[in-house]
Structure formats: C-alpha cells, structure tokens
Amino acid sequence: MTNINRAKTNQSLFFVQSELALPSDWYLSLGASYNNYDYDVRSAVNSTEPLIYTTNANQLVPRMSILKKMGKASVYAALGQGFSPPAAGIFNDFLNFDGSVNNNLRSATGWNLELGSRGSTKNGVFFYDLTFYHLKVKDAIISRLFEIAPGVNAERKTNAGKVKQLGLEASLGLNLSTSVEHFWYGSQLRVGYTFNDYTYEDYQTFVTDFDADFNPIYRLVSYNEKSIPGTIPHAWVFLLDLRTKPGFYLNYTLNTYGSAYLTDANTDKVDAYTLMNVRLGYSRPLGQSRLSLHPYLGFNNLGNTLYSSLTAYNSTFGGFYNAGYRRQFYGGLQVNLKL
C-alpha cells in the first residue's frame, strides 16, 4: 500500500497593540490581530489522483484589557476573541476515516472574558493570584467517535455548535522568610485550587446500534448541557518547599483531582484520586572550592494510588484507562564544577 500525501499551508499574521498609562495608576491595552491561513491538502492511497481539499480561513481578532494598580496588588479585566482554524498536515482534521473529505469543517471562534487580581503584602511574606474566566466557543472542533463494526471505532472531526468554558484558578502562597540570612530563606508554602465547568451548549451527533446482521444503524442524539469529557471540576494542589541555610531541602507535593466524566453522554465517570510526591536532598558547595555535591532521594506516588495516566474518552467498549505508575523510588548524585 502506498500513501500519497501532500499538505501546503500559507500563514500570515498581522498584529497591532497600544499601551496607555492613565492617571491614578490605571493602564489600558488595546490590540487586534489578523490571521489568514491558506490550505492545500492532497491525499490518496494507491492512486495518482489524490483527494484535494483547499480552503481559506481568516479572522480579525480584537482584544482589550484594563488594569488598576493598588500598591503591591492589582486588579484587571480583559476581553478578547480567539480563532482556531482546522489543523492541516499529513494527519489533519479534513480527511475522514473512509478517505472522503470533510468539506464542511469550519474554524472555531470564541470570546473570552477574564477577571483577576494578583499581589502580595508589603513585606512579601504573603502573595496570591486569582483568575476567573468565561469562554464561549462557536464551532469548536472535536473528535466524533462512532462504531463502524462492533468494537471498532472510527473518528471524524466535527464542529460542535457551541461550547461554554467557565473556570476559576486561585493560588495562595507564604514565604517562610524574606531575609537572605534566615535559616529558612527560600522556603515556601503554596496552595492552589482550580474549578472547571465545561459544557456543550449546542452539540448534536449520533450513536451506533447494530441490527441482527451487524449492520450499523446511526441514531441522532443531543448532548446539550452535558459536561465535556475529561473536564475535572475540582482540583487542588498543596506544595511545601523547605530550604535551609546549611543546604538541606525538602519538596512535598500533594495533588487531588476530582471525579470527571468519560463520555459525552455523561454515563461513566473516573473516580477522584490523589497523588503525593516527595523529594529530599542536600546541595551546597564544598567549602571555598568550585565543586558542589547534590545527593537526592525521591518518591513518586508515595500513596501507591491506582489512577489512569492516559484516558481514552468516549471509548465504545469501555477501555477508558491506561494505568499510571504505582509507587516509585529514585535517587542520584549530581556533581557541579564551576570553571
């Protein structure tokens, strides 16, 4: 079998932005970009007459933001439009599993509203970062999986109507010391939280049934208001980074992931799980020499959690999971010489 594939793309991008400093520590940013893509995709198997797909995708994308400084803190708001054309190349969005051309595929566009604040106390001991966003995408490009035979999936890219992405990202931190002479200088404690609410607002597709002779029968379904598979609604991270003046250190990370849906129909879910990693070591120059030693020892997934490191969403026959590594130990010795 001989594959004949050729993909030619031309891309042009023009961008302009203006930054304005206003009275009372207000800052205004205005920008816009023009994106243009030309695609010429040709593909065939055992043929000198390949299938041809040519198209042009272009979009004018505006953006604006305003920021207010208040000492060591600031608040801001940003509004902008996004633009994502279909992927081109040897493995592209245009060609279907049966060799036909997906002529109806359109670019995804959307508007994103972002509100946030970040800052710290005057002495730098406490710091934070808070971001809220609301993204509405039109014609989002997603993979549609369907059965062409029992247990055999085929994939076709499609525009999903409208998708809503609502999220919150927050992090709080504490510097245990801000003095370079302190025993704990460089040590930090941080806590982060992420909230995601991604849903289909308008998405109709079909599922496959089979008759007595195993011929596929495609049935139209709607996934409006369903959560998008793989969206983790709640996630936490706790980080403790201890560093000491003599050179000893300890890194501790605890990640907690909430339960998430595995299918467009929201009928199957992956369980919540927690991963814990620890690393400790010593790093310091040897006396006044240019040589330094760095021995270390680490533990990944210290709690020996069973989880999926690579998940196959919308799997027809339920093969969603690829198990991640269980408890791991590692160690090493790093030698540094400054010349």
Side-chain angles (χ1 to χ4, degrees), residues 7-313:
K8 180 181 179 182
T9 63
N10 294 314
Q11 177 183 353
S12 58
L13 171 65
F14 302 94
F15 180 77
V16 61
Q17 181 167 314
S18 176
E19 303 280 349
L20 300 175
L22 304 175
S24 302
D25 285 330
W26 285 90
Y27 298 86
L28 178 66
S29 176
L30 300 171
S33 63
Y34 178 76
N35 305 267
N36 186 80
Y37 297 83
D38 286 305
Y39 293 149
D40 185 353
V41 180
R42 300 165 187 263
S43 179
V45 177
N46 290 336
S47 173
T48 57
E49 299 180 358
L51 292 169
I52 299 175
Y53 183 90
T54 59
T55 190
N56 173 266
N58 60 83
Q59 183 78 25
L60 178 65
V61 180
R63 184 183 187 279
M64 68 171 295
S65 65
I66 188 167
L67 180 144
K68 167 65 174 176
K69 285 187 176 181
M70 299 175 294
K72 290 286 187 177
S74 63
V75 293
Y76 68 91
L79 178 66
Q81 189 178 25
F83 167 66
S84 179
I90 302 303
F91 301 100
N92 60 78
D93 293 340
F94 302 116
L95 297 179
N96 299 320
F97 73 98
D98 57 0
S100 62
V101 175
N102 197 344
N103 289 296
N104 298 321
L105 200 60
R106 301 177 299 277
S107 300
T109 60
W111 284 91
N112 182 54
L113 171 64
E114 185 175 315
L115 305 173
S117 177
R118 61 176 58 96
S120 65
T121 55
K122 289 184 178 181
N123 59 7
V125 172
F126 173 80
F127 57 93
Y128 74 95
D129 196 329
L130 179 65
T131 302
F132 165 82
Y133 65 90
H134 186 192
L135 173 62
K136 301 196 72 169
V137 181
K138 179 182 178 182
D139 294 330
I141 300 173
I142 67 170
S143 296
R144 172 187 289 171
L145 296 178
F146 55 95
E147 287 183 285
I148 56 176
V152 179
N153 283 338
E155 179 182 11
R156 176 177 295 172
K157 294 296 178 68
T158 185
N159 293 106
K162 296 179 181 179
V163 170
K164 180 188 70 174
Q165 298 181 1
L166 189 70
L168 175 70
E169 298 175 357
S171 65
L172 303 175
L174 180 69
N175 287 310
L176 300 187
S177 174
T178 57
S179 172
V180 295
E181 301 300 327
H182 197 277
F183 181 83
W184 297 108
Y185 178 72
S187 299
Q188 282 189 348
L189 172 65
R190 286 176 287 171
V191 178
Y193 169 71
T194 302
F195 167 75
N196 296 306
D197 180 15
Y198 293 5
T199 57
Y200 295 119
E201 286 196 331
D202 180 16
Y203 178 37
Q204 287 80 37
T205 183
F206 52 84
V207 295
T208 310
D209 298 319
F210 294 93
D211 61 18
D213 297 322
F214 297 103
N215 296 311
I217 302 173
Y218 301 117
R219 175 167 48 88
L220 187 66
V221 296
S222 172
Y223 292 131
N224 293 356
E225 305 304 322
K226 296 289 187 180
S227 294
I228 298 176
T231 302
I232 299 175
H234 305 283
W236 290 88
V237 59
F238 174 85
L239 301 101
L240 178 62
D241 188 5
L242 293 178
R243 298 183 178 275
T244 66
K245 197 177 181 68
F248 295 99
Y249 69 87
L250 169 69
N251 305 128
Y252 175 84
T253 304
L254 183 70
N255 292 278
T256 299
Y257 303 94
S259 179
Y261 286 108
L262 295 166
T263 61
D264 288 332
N266 293 177
T267 54
D268 296 277
K269 298 184 75 173
V270 61
D271 293 333
Y273 64 94
T274 298
L275 295 178
M276 180 168 48
N277 301 324
V278 179
R279 174 169 165 155
L280 54 107
Y282 173 82
S283 179
R284 190 172 176 84
L286 297 178
Q288 301 298 318
S289 68
R290 298 180 179 180
L291 181 67
S292 63
L293 298 180
H294 180 194
Y296 57 89
L297 178 66
F299 310 87
N300 288 335
N301 192 7
L302 189 59
N304 206 30
T305 301
L306 179 62
Y307 70 102
S308 176
S309 61
L310 179 63
T311 305
Y313 299 105

